[in-house]
Amino acid sequence: MKKFFLMAVLALSMSAFAQRVTPLNITLAEVKLDSLRTLYLAEPIMYRASLDALAQALEKNDKEVKAAKTELKVEKQHAKEMGTSLKKAETMVASLKKLYGKEENELRNMSKTVEKQMKTLGKQNELNDETRNQYRSFLEKQQQELNYSLRDVAERARAISDLETSIQNAKSNLSQFEQQANLKESELKFLETQLKERQKLVKEEQKAAKSL
């Protein structure tokens, strides 16, 4: 179970690689009222129609900005959750490294004890063959199981080391992701300010154009 959980967390942290914030792709409608006035100087109906079309284009931009803000909110929440997951993974790694280190030491001590018993048995010539063979068989079986356990703990220790590297890479990627999100937030605020200014200009011009 521990090994399965470890591999699952490793796969999860690997999935954090190469994540990128979705870039903004919003182009605000140009508001060139002087040009419009010159173009439709003698055609007030066409001028008002062009202002309406411009207002609609800005309204579309407004929806795009709102969608991008929602998208950014989800991206920032994702970054927060990833940060929490990585902190938990780091705690788990530290705990397992300590556990596996202790397990390896215990297994090696037991292995040394068995080796010592094998040497002692080799010197006990007074024992009959049946007793000697049965005890040797028991010790060999025990040594075999200990060797298997040592290989297993070594494999888990390597996996933990790989996971540790993976977590560090994921943290670096997360830092870049957060920087991208912050930049996107600044760009969105700038776009939103520009949009409101343009909408205000068009709205005021629409109001003035009604008297034409």
Side-chain angles (χ1 to χ4, degrees), residues 106-124 135-136 138-148 150:
E106 290 177 350
L107 288 169
R108 291 193 182 282
N109 288 335
M110 291 174 65
S111 182
K112 289 179 181 178
T113 298
V114 171
E115 289 175 4
K116 185 177 180 181
Q117 291 173 335
M118 289 283 284
K119 290 180 180 179
T120 300
L121 179 63
K123 298 177 182 178
Q124 293 174 330
Y135 191 45
R136 180 182 290 110
F138 167 75
L139 292 174
E140 288 174 349
K141 177 65 175 176
Q142 192 175 10
Q143 189 66 63
Q144 183 180 6
E145 292 298 326
L146 286 169
N147 289 337
Y148 171 80
L150 280 167

Side-chain angles (χ1 to χ4, degrees), residues 26-196:
I26 301 173
T27 302
L28 296 182
E30 291 290 341
V31 177
K32 299 179 179 179
L33 298 180
D34 291 339
S35 297
L36 286 177
R37 290 192 196 101
T38 301
L39 184 63
Y40 298 114
L41 184 63
E43 300 177 79
I45 295 178
M46 289 297 295
Y47 182 52
R48 286 193 291 268
S50 67
L51 288 175
D52 290 343
L54 184 54
Q56 289 176 5
L58 291 171
E59 182 62 28
K60 180 183 177 183
N61 287 152
D62 186 62
K63 291 179 180 178
E64 291 173 333
V65 168
K66 287 179 179 177
K69 288 175 71 175
T70 299
E71 180 180 77
L72 176 62
K73 183 178 180 180
V74 173
E75 289 170 335
K76 294 186 77 171
Q77 179 62 29
H78 168 72
K80 183 178 179 180
E81 291 172 354
M82 182 60 68
T84 299
S85 295
L86 290 174
K87 285 182 180 179
K88 290 182 178 179
E90 282 185 308
T91 300
M92 183 201 71
V93 164
S95 177
L96 288 178
K97 282 182 69 175
K98 184 177 180 180
L99 177 65
Y100 294 163
K102 182 179 179 182
E103 184 179 354
E104 181 181 10
N105 288 335
E106 290 177 350
L107 288 169
R108 291 193 182 282
N109 288 335
M110 291 174 65
S111 182
K112 289 179 181 178
T113 298
V114 171
E115 289 175 4
K116 185 177 180 181
Q117 291 173 335
M118 289 283 284
K119 290 180 180 179
T120 300
L121 179 63
K123 298 177 182 178
Q124 293 174 330
N125 297 321
E126 294 79 10
L127 295 175
N128 60 51
D129 290 343
E130 181 180 1
T131 299
R132 184 193 301 275
N133 291 337
Q134 285 183 354
Y135 191 45
R136 180 182 290 110
S137 177
F138 167 75
L139 292 174
E140 288 174 349
K141 177 65 175 176
Q142 192 175 10
Q143 189 66 63
Q144 183 180 6
E145 292 298 326
L146 286 169
N147 289 337
Y148 171 80
S149 295
L150 280 167
R151 287 194 298 271
D152 179 66
V153 77
E155 181 183 347
R156 282 182 278 138
R158 283 192 296 271
I160 276 290
S161 180
D162 290 342
L163 177 55
E164 199 168 23
T165 300
S166 180
I167 289 172
Q168 292 305 314
N169 290 335
K171 285 178 67 178
S172 177
N173 180 261
L174 174 59
S175 178
Q176 294 176 18
F177 188 91
E178 289 173 330
Q179 290 175 10
Q180 291 171 13
N182 291 335
L183 179 60
K184 182 175 180 177
E185 186 174 28
S186 297
E187 292 174 346
L188 258 177
K189 287 179 179 178
F190 178 72
L191 273 176
E192 193 171 23
T193 298
Q194 280 197 318
L195 176 60
K196 288 180 179 179

Side-chain angles (χ1 to χ4, degrees), residues 14-20 173:
M14 287 293 288
S15 71
F17 292 167
Q19 293 186 82
R20 296 288 181 269
N173 180 261

